[in-house]
Amino acid sequence: MMKKTLLLMVLVGFAMNLLAQEKKITGVVTGSSDGNTLPGVNIVVKGTSVGTVTDLDGNYSITVDAQDEILIFSFIGMKTREEKIASRNVVNVELSQDALGLDEVVVTGAGALTKKKQLGNAISTIPALDIQESGAVSVGGALSGKLAGAQVMQNSGGPAGGISVRLRGASTVLGSSDPLYIIDGVVVNNESRELINLGGYTQNRLVDIEPQDIERVEVIKGAAAAAIYGSRASNGVVQIWTKRGSSKETTVNFISSISVSEVRKKLPYNNVEMVWDGDVAVDHNPDGSKVQRNDYQDLIFRTAVGTKNYLSLSKAVGDTKYFFSASHFNNEGVVDNTSFQRTTARLRIDDQIYPWLNVSVGTNVSYNESSDQFNNEDFNYGLLTSFLFADNTTDMHPTAGVYPGFGWITNIQEAIDQVKAKQVNKRVISDFKLRLTPFKGFSLDYSFGYDYSNSIATLYVPVGFNTTPQGVAQRGSMDEIKMNNDINARYMFAINDDIVSTTSAGYSLQYDRYERLSLSAEGLIPTVESTNAGTVTGRTDYAAEKSIRGYYFQQTFGIYDKLFLTGAIRVDESSVFGNDERRQTYPKLSASYVVSDNDFWKNSKIGNVLNTFKVRSSWGRAGNMTAIDAYDRYTNYNTVAINGATGLVKPSVLGNENIKPERQTEYEVGTDLEFFKGKFGLELTYYHQDIDDLLLNRTLASSTGADFRVENVGTMSNRGFELLFRANLIQKKSFSWDLTATYSTNENEVNGIEGDLITYAWGESAAKNGNPLGVFYGYYYARNADGSLLLDANGLPQREKGGYENNEAVSERGSDGQPTGENLKKVIGDPNPDFIASLTNEMRYKNWSFRAQFDAVQGFDVISWDKRILNRFPGGDGEAKELLGKRPKGWGKAEYNIYESFVEDGSFIKLREVSLGYNYKPKVDWCESIKFSITGRNLFSIDSYYGMDPEVNREGQSNVVRGNDMASVPIPRTITFGVNVKF
C-alpha cells in the first residue's frame, strides 16, 4: 500500500511539474511575398492535437508544454513551415507561396491526414472563401469550375434546382454517376427523388446545407485514392468539412444579403399578327377581328427576390471550443408562384478532455419548404410546355372569374393561380468522434455518423381546372436514415533516419433504410385538398434496408522525405448481393517522388526556375452499388387489385442472385510543377478507367415469362487529361493578382450491350456499343450525295429510309430517287463535351477585392425539344417564318419527326461568378470588420444555342439522359448585395 501511495505521489508531482513548465507563445504570421498578415493560419504543436489559428490581424497565442519543441504553421496556398520553440516566447513566421498546395494536409480517407506531396494521385481542395463568395444556393453548385476533371451542371433554374457532378465521366448505366458525399465524416444522402409527379423536377439534398458553414471541400477523383472507401467510391468522393470553434474567446459573424434574379434569355415565339386562311396569310380572325399575339412567357417569368441572414458564434473556454450558426434563406423562383426557403442551425463542440483524448460532437438541423409547378403529361403539361404548344392568339387571363380553355393544353395563368405543389424537408446530420493519442505517433479514431431526412410533397389541382376538371390530389413521403460507424488506427514511426513508416487499418459499418409512401386521388370534393377527398387511383408503400461493412489496411513508406510508396487493400461485404458475390476486394498502389528535393536539383540552374518537380502514379480498384437497390437480386412480385382483393403479378424483370458490384480499375500518372519560388504552379494528370461487370438489362426468352434480367454483362471505359494552372501574378503589400485555370477532357465508351443498343426516355437517348453513354439516337434527314437536303415531291424535308446491316443504317433509293424502306435511325448527337475549362481571376487592392470566374463547356450537343415544338406549332417562330413566306408552309410539320433537325450545339462560355467587395475596419473595440459585397452569378453566356440555356436537363439528375431540353426552367441571372459584420 505504501509503495502505491509513493508511486501516486511521484506521478502527481511529475504532472504538476510539467504543468508548471507550461509557457505561452505569441507571434504574428505574414506572407513573405507582400508582408501582409495572414488570418486563419493553422498552428499545431507537432505530435499533438494542441492548436490554434491566427486572427484577422495574423496574431496568435498558444500555450505549450516545456517538452514541446516544434510548431507547425500551415495555410492554403502557402508552404507549411516548422519552427523550433527553444527558449523563445515570441515566434514570428513568414510563409512562402505554394501554388499547388503540396504542403497542404488533406484527408485521403478514413480520417488519415497526409500531405499532398506524399500522394500518388490528384486531390483537389476548395477553401471556404471560394464556396462562400460563389453566390450559389447549394454547396454542389459552388463546385462549378473549381475542379479539374469535374463537370458540374445545374439541371434546372428552379429556386432549388438539382446539381449533377461527374468526376472523370460516367461510370454506370443503370445507376448514378454522382460521387459519394461525406460531411464531417458522415456518409450523407444526396439522392434526387421525385415524390410527386412534377415532370422531372427534383432537388439534391445538398441544398439542405448552408454554404456559409463550409470550411473546406476536398475532392478525390481517382479509383486508387477512393479504393479505401470500397464499393461506394467509383464515382469519386467529395469530403466536406464544416467550421469549428477557434481559440479566441468569442467571435461573432453576421451576414445579411438580398438578391435579384431574372431570366437571361427567352424563347422565340410567333409575333406575326397573321393567321392562315387556307394557304393565304391574313391579318384578321375568321370573325373579322384583328389578330393579336401574346408572349405567354410574360405570364411565366418574373423578377425574383431572395434574402438571407446568417449568424455564427465561435467561442473557446479553456480546452473546449464551440461553434454555433443559424441561417434563414428565402428565395423566390423566376417562375411565378415558385419559391424555396431554408432554415438551418449547426452546433459543433470540440473538447480536449486529456492531452491524449479529444472528443468532437456536431449536429446540423435544417428545415426547408419549396413551392413548385408541374410540367408533365398526366395533367396535360404545365407552364412552359403549354407555352410551346399553345396558339398564342388568346389572352389567358380569366374573364369574370372564368379561365379560357385551350383544349388539352393547360391555361398558364390558371395553373399559376390555382395549382399547389409543395415539398417540406426536415433533416438532421449528426456526428460523434473520439480521438486517442496514447503515445507518440499512434492515433485511434472512432466516428459515428447519423443522417436522417424526412420529405413530404403534396400536389393539388382543384376541381374545375380546365384540363383535369375532376381535380387531383397527390401526397408522397420519404423517410431515410443513414448511419455509419468507423474505427481507424494509425501508427507512424521512423524506421531509421531515412525511412518513415505509416500504417493504417480500419473497420466500417454502414446501415441505410428508407420508407416511401405515396397516394394519388381523383374526383375530389370541391375545396378539399387531401387525397381522402377523392377516389384513390394509385398508391405506393415501400421500405428497404441495406448494410455495408468493410475492412482496410494501408501501408506507406516515406524515404528521405522525397519518395513515398503506398499500398492498400479493402474488403467489402454488402447485403444487396447474394452470398457468393457478397465479399469484394479492392486494392490500390501509388507512388510519389519529389525530384526537386534532391541536392543535385536544388543546386542546378533548372532548380532556380523549376523549384518543385514531383512525379506521381497510382493504380487502384473501386466499386459501384448505385445500379442495384436493396432487393433487386430477388424476383419481386407486384400487387394488383382483383375484384376487391389483392393479388400478385409476376414482374417483367427477373431477379438474379449472382449479380455483383460494378468494378472500376483505374491508373493515373501525373506531375506537379512549381516555378519561380512558387509564383506559378502546374498540375498535369492522365487517367484511364475500365469499368467491368457493368449492370444491364438482358433480354430473356418469352418462355421465362419475363422480359429482362439484370446481369453483369457490359463494359465501359473513360480516359482523359486534366490540367490545373495557378499563378500569383502580382504579390505586393497593397495589390495582389492571382489566376487559376483548369482544363480537362474525357472520352467515354460503352460496350457489351446485348443487341447493340438500349434506349431511354422517349427513345432518343441511348447506350450504344462503341459510343459514349447517352448519345442521341433518332431519325435524320434524307440527303443528296452532295450533302444537301433531299426534298419530297412537295419540296419539303423528309426522313432517311432504308434498312440495317450489322446494326448500322443503310440508305436506299427507289427508281424515282426518293428514299424507300423503313425510317432509319442513327447516332445524331453526343451530350458529352469535348472539354471543360475555367478561368478565375482574383485581385485585391488595399481593402478592395475582385473575383471573376468564367466556365466553358465545349463540343457537346443538346437535343432541343423546345425547338422541335416551336418549329411546328402555331405559337412558335417556325409558324412565323411560314406566315411571312420565309419558308414553305408545312416545313415545320415535315421536320417534326426528323430528330436531327433539333439537335443543337450546346457549347457555352459563362460568366459563372463575379464579385466586388470592400472590407472596412472601423476603429472601435466592438467590431473587427465590415465587408460590403456585390456578387453576380450566371450574368451572361456566350453560345449559339436556340433555347434559353444549354446547361439544363429535362430529366434532372439522370445519368444516361443528358443534354435534353424541353420546357426546362433556365438558370437565372442573379445579383446579390451583401454585408458581413465580424464582432
Side-chain angles (χ1 to χ4, degrees):
M1 182 67 181
M2 179 64 70
K3 291 182 178 180
K4 291 183 179 180
T5 303
L6 288 174
L7 178 61
L8 180 61
M9 291 175 66
V10 169
L11 291 174
V12 170
F14 179 66
M16 292 180 67
N17 184 50
L18 289 179
L19 289 173
Q21 296 181 47
E22 285 185 346
K23 66 177 181 178
K24 188 175 184 180
I25 304 296
T26 61
V28 61
V29 183
T30 58
S32 61
S33 60
D34 54 17
N36 286 331
T37 57
L38 298 175
V41 175
N42 288 302
I43 303 155
V44 178
V45 178
K46 189 173 183 178
T48 75
S49 56
V50 177
T52 185
V53 295
T54 57
D55 62 20
L56 288 173
D57 297 317
N59 298 311
Y60 75 93
S61 173
I62 187 170
T63 300
V64 301
D65 292 334
Q67 70 269 30
D68 294 330
E69 300 177 353
I70 297 174
L71 293 178
I72 301 174
F73 297 79
S74 61
F75 188 65
I76 292 177
M78 298 288 181
K79 291 185 180 296
T80 298
R81 182 166 172 173
E82 296 186 0
E83 281 287 328
K84 289 186 177 180
I85 299 172
S87 60
R88 293 185 292 175
N89 292 315
V90 177
V91 180
N92 296 326
V93 172
E94 280 189 345
L95 298 183
S96 57
Q97 294 169 340
D98 183 16
L100 296 179
L102 298 184
D103 276 334
E104 252 180 75
V105 176
V106 295
V107 181
T108 58
L113 300 175
T114 308
K115 283 187 178 181
K116 283 182 70 173
K117 77 173 186 177
Q118 300 179 17
L119 300 178
N121 55 274
I123 186 170
S124 300
T125 302
I126 304 172
L129 199 62
D130 289 0
I131 301 292
Q132 294 158 10
E133 293 190 351
S134 67
V137 172
S138 71
V139 180
L143 299 179
S144 180
K146 296 177 177 63
L147 302 167
Q151 184 180 7
V152 183
M153 304 286 276
Q154 185 171 338
N155 298 307
S156 168
I163 304 292
S164 289
V165 178
R166 279 187 175 182
L167 304 177
R168 296 182 174 176
S171 60
T172 181
V173 174
L174 298 181
S176 167
S177 284
D178 275 6
L180 176 71
Y181 289 91
I182 300 174
I183 300 178
D184 293 327
V186 183
V187 178
V188 298
N189 165 33
N190 192 43
E191 296 184 8
S192 305
R193 303 184 189 273
E194 190 176 29
L195 301 181
I196 54 175
N197 193 351
L198 295 177
Y201 178 79
T202 55
Q203 304 172 4
N204 290 104
R205 293 275 48 90
L206 273 186
V207 78
D208 300 331
I209 309 300
E210 168 56 54
Q212 291 293 335
D213 282 333
I214 305 304
E215 180 64 33
R216 74 184 189 279
V217 177
E218 294 176 3
V219 180
I220 304 172
K221 290 170 285 189
I228 204 165
Y229 290 103
S231 297
R232 303 163 291 173
S234 68
N235 300 325
V237 182
V238 176
Q239 300 180 122
I240 300 171
W241 307 94
T242 61
K243 293 179 180 177
R244 296 173 178 267
S246 68
S247 61
K248 294 188 64 176
E249 290 187 1
T250 305
T251 301
V252 179
N253 189 23
F254 175 72
I255 300 172
S256 185
S257 65
I258 183 169
S259 62
V260 179
S261 302
E262 60 183 8
V263 294
R264 293 181 294 102
K265 176 184 176 184
K266 295 197 297 185
L267 288 167
Y269 68 100
N270 186 357
N271 59 359
V272 177
E273 295 184 342
M274 292 189 292
V275 294
W276 292 109
D277 184 4
D279 291 332
V280 179
V282 296
D283 63 357
H284 56 275
N285 293 307
D287 62 1
S289 61
K290 182 176 175 60
V291 176
Q292 292 184 337
R293 296 283 180 179
N294 299 279
D295 183 3
Y296 294 146
Q297 293 171 100
D298 291 339
L299 302 178
I300 300 171
F301 297 118
R302 65 177 175 181
T303 298
V305 177
T307 59
K308 181 162 83 169
N309 291 289
Y310 173 86
L311 177 69
S312 68
L313 171 66
S314 176
K315 185 177 179 64
V317 179
D319 292 327
T320 306
K321 300 174 183 178
Y322 303 88
F323 179 85
F324 171 78
S325 71
S327 71
H328 180 71
F329 176 60
N330 187 352
N331 189 29
E332 291 180 342
V334 290
V335 172
D336 201 2
N337 201 25
T338 64
S339 63
F340 174 73
Q341 298 91 36
R342 176 182 63 214
T343 302
T344 67
R346 177 178 292 274
L347 176 65
R348 165 71 58 187
I349 302 174
D350 296 292
D351 192 9
Q352 184 174 350
I353 298 177
Y354 300 106
W356 49 269
L357 176 61
N358 288 72
V359 177
S360 180
V361 179
T363 189
N364 179 79
V365 179
S366 67
Y367 176 90
N368 64 59
E369 297 182 0
S370 61
S371 295
D372 305 300
Q373 277 288 340
F374 64 79
N375 193 40
N376 52 60
E377 298 175 61
D378 289 1
F379 312 115
N380 294 325
Y381 303 104
L383 307 188
L384 277 165
T385 319
S386 296
F387 158 74
L388 299 176
F389 283 105
D391 186 345
N392 61 342
T393 57
T394 303
D395 188 350
M396 287 196 174
H397 288 92
T399 301
V402 178
Y403 293 89
F406 287 77
W408 58 275
I409 300 171
T410 296
N411 181 306
I412 295 171
Q413 190 62 54
E414 184 182 21
I416 290 173
D417 293 342
Q418 297 197 14
V419 171
K420 297 179 182 179
K422 296 184 179 296
Q423 183 163 315
V424 174
N425 301 282
K426 305 169 189 175
R427 189 171 191 183
V428 177
I429 301 174
S430 300
D431 65 270
F432 171 76
K433 296 181 177 66
L434 285 175
R435 182 176 179 84
L436 288 80
T437 52
F439 54 89
K440 187 175 181 179
F442 179 80
S443 64
L444 182 67
D445 296 274
Y446 169 74
S447 176
F448 171 74
Y450 176 83
D451 180 11
Y452 169 74
S453 58
N454 167 259
S455 300
I456 298 175
T458 57
L459 173 67
Y460 173 63
V461 182
V463 173
F465 194 79
N466 268 307
T467 54
T468 53
Q470 75 280 11
V472 174
Q474 291 185 355
R475 181 181 178 88
S477 66
M478 172 73 73
D479 284 276
E480 186 155 4
I481 294 175
K482 285 181 176 290
M483 292 187 289
N484 63 281
N485 288 268
D486 298 271
I487 185 166
N488 302 284
R490 187 170 184 258
Y491 181 52
M492 181 172 63
F493 72 100
I495 297 176
N496 54 39
D497 292 340
D498 302 324
I499 302 176
V500 175
S501 168
T502 304
T503 304
S504 302
Y507 168 79
S508 65
L509 174 64
Q510 180 180 330
Y511 171 81
D512 297 352
R513 177 180 174 83
Y514 75 88
E515 299 177 357
R516 181 169 182 174
L517 177 66
S518 64
L519 289 172
S520 182
E522 298 180 2
L524 305 182
I525 300 171
T527 73
V528 181
E529 300 180 9
S530 62
T531 55
N532 63 1
T535 302
V536 174
T537 56
R539 66 178 184 182
T540 300
D541 190 353
Y542 180 77
E545 57 184 2
K546 57 186 177 183
S547 62
I548 307 167
R549 64 178 179 180
Y551 319 79
Y552 82 91
F553 177 84
Q554 178 170 292
Q555 177 64 48
T556 297
F557 293 105
I559 305 171
Y560 299 108
D561 200 33
K562 304 167 190 174
L563 174 63
F564 303 92
L565 305 174
T566 299
I569 189 168
R570 178 178 174 111
V571 178
D572 261 5
E573 298 177 2
S574 172
S575 64
V576 304
F577 303 106
N579 291 329
D580 294 338
E581 301 294 346
R582 183 158 293 176
R583 178 170 293 184
Q584 299 292 325
T585 303
Y586 304 99
K588 83 163 188 178
L589 296 169
S590 69
S592 168
Y593 182 36
V594 187
V595 182
S596 55
D597 279 355
N598 291 286
D599 290 338
F600 75 83
W601 188 276
K602 294 177 182 178
N603 299 328
S604 66
K605 291 183 178 179
I606 192 173
N608 293 328
V609 178
L610 181 56
N611 314 117
T612 301
F613 175 33
K614 169 190 167 183
V615 292
R616 50 185 165 79
S617 179
S618 64
W619 172 91
R621 287 180 175 168
N624 186 4
M625 298 195 307
T626 64
I628 180 173
D629 212 340
Y631 310 124
D632 285 355
R633 71 180 186 272
Y634 301 118
T635 300
N636 298 301
Y637 285 77
N638 300 317
T639 59
V640 63
I642 304 175
N643 295 328
T646 300
L648 294 176
V649 176
K650 193 173 185 180
S652 60
V653 180
L654 285 184
N656 179 5
E657 294 214 30
N658 295 318
I659 53 179
K660 52 190 174 182
E662 299 172 327
R663 296 174 63 87
Q664 179 191 108
T665 303
E666 178 184 76
Y667 71 86
E668 71 172 71
V669 293
T671 183
D672 301 318
L673 311 170
E674 288 186 348
F675 304 85
F676 303 111
K677 297 182 179 179
K679 196 174 187 67
F680 301 99
L682 184 64
E683 180 183 288
L684 303 170
T685 304
Y686 172 80
Y687 64 89
H688 184 103
Q689 299 175 354
D690 287 311
I691 298 103
D692 299 314
D693 296 327
L694 203 65
L695 288 169
L696 296 169
N697 288 322
R698 189 166 189 174
T699 305
L700 299 176
S702 57
S703 59
T704 64
D707 299 326
F708 305 104
R709 181 170 62 195
V710 177
E711 296 187 4
N712 298 99
V713 294
T715 64
M716 185 187 293
S717 66
N718 288 292
R719 61 181 182 273
F721 173 78
E722 299 169 353
L723 178 151
L724 170 66
F725 174 75
R726 286 200 174 108
N728 307 120
L729 297 176
I730 299 175
Q731 293 292 328
K732 301 294 183 182
K733 192 172 183 66
S734 61
F735 179 69
S736 66
W737 179 14
D738 299 326
L739 181 147
T740 303
T742 67
Y743 174 87
S744 57
T745 66
N746 183 75
E747 296 181 21
N748 174 273
E749 185 175 312
V750 182
N751 282 292
I753 298 174
E754 182 188 43
D756 186 61
L757 175 77
I758 302 174
T759 60
Y760 298 87
W762 294 338
E764 80 288 349
S765 293
K768 190 178 190 308
N769 287 335
N771 287 271
L773 182 65
V775 291
F776 303 142
Y777 187 79
Y779 302 113
Y780 56 100
Y781 285 110
R783 296 181 182 272
N784 296 307
D786 62 0
S788 60
L789 297 183
L790 174 57
L791 304 180
D792 63 14
N794 297 316
L796 299 175
Q798 58 187 319
R799 288 182 285 187
E800 186 59 276
K801 295 183 178 182
Y804 292 91
E805 294 182 6
N806 298 322
N807 297 316
E808 297 299 327
V810 179
S811 304
E812 296 178 6
R813 297 288 182 267
S815 58
D816 58 355
Q818 291 292 313
T820 184
E822 64 176 303
N823 293 317
L824 297 178
K825 291 184 177 182
K826 68 175 183 179
V827 174
I828 56 174
D830 183 2
N832 300 284
D834 293 338
F835 71 88
I836 55 179
S838 68
L839 178 65
T840 303
N841 280 278
E842 295 180 89
M843 299 180 184
R844 297 188 183 275
Y845 175 70
K846 295 185 177 179
N847 293 335
W848 292 92
S849 62
F850 174 78
R851 173 188 172 89
Q853 176 183 316
F854 289 89
D855 289 354
V857 183
Q858 297 289 301
F860 77 103
D861 297 316
V862 176
I863 190 162
S864 175
W865 300 90
D866 291 351
K867 182 178 180 180
R868 180 196 191 200
I869 299 166
L870 290 174
N871 191 46
R872 160 73 175 83
F873 283 85
D877 62 324
E879 179 87 346
K881 294 174 184 177
E882 294 177 20
L883 287 168
L884 294 173
K886 294 182 178 180
R887 69 182 191 187
K889 183 183 179 183
W891 188 280
K893 184 177 181 180
E895 282 187 325
Y896 190 68
N897 287 320
I898 304 174
Y899 284 21
E900 183 187 2
S901 69
F902 51 96
V903 173
E904 291 269 309
D905 178 13
S907 302
F908 65 83
I909 300 174
K910 279 189 178 181
L911 179 56
R912 183 72 71 187
E913 302 169 15
V914 61
S915 64
L916 178 66
Y918 179 76
N919 196 27
Y920 171 65
K921 295 186 178 181
K923 296 180 180 179
V924 293
D925 294 335
W926 57 269
C927 181
E928 288 191 5
S929 67
I930 303 175
K931 183 175 182 179
F932 302 94
S933 64
I934 178 171
T935 303
R937 189 166 180 84
N938 300 304
L939 293 188
F940 66 81
S941 174
I942 303 172
D943 60 69
S944 58
Y945 181 57
Y946 171 89
M948 290 183 281
D949 196 329
E951 189 173 0
V952 296
N953 189 45
R954 184 192 78 200
E955 296 296 322
Q957 286 75 265
S958 170
N959 185 44
V960 179
V961 185
R962 306 300 308 167
N964 272 244
D965 181 16
M966 177 177 171
S968 303
V969 178
I971 301 170
R973 172 196 294 121
T974 301
I975 299 176
T976 303
F977 302 89
V979 59
N980 185 345
V981 183
K982 293 184 178 180
F983 302 94

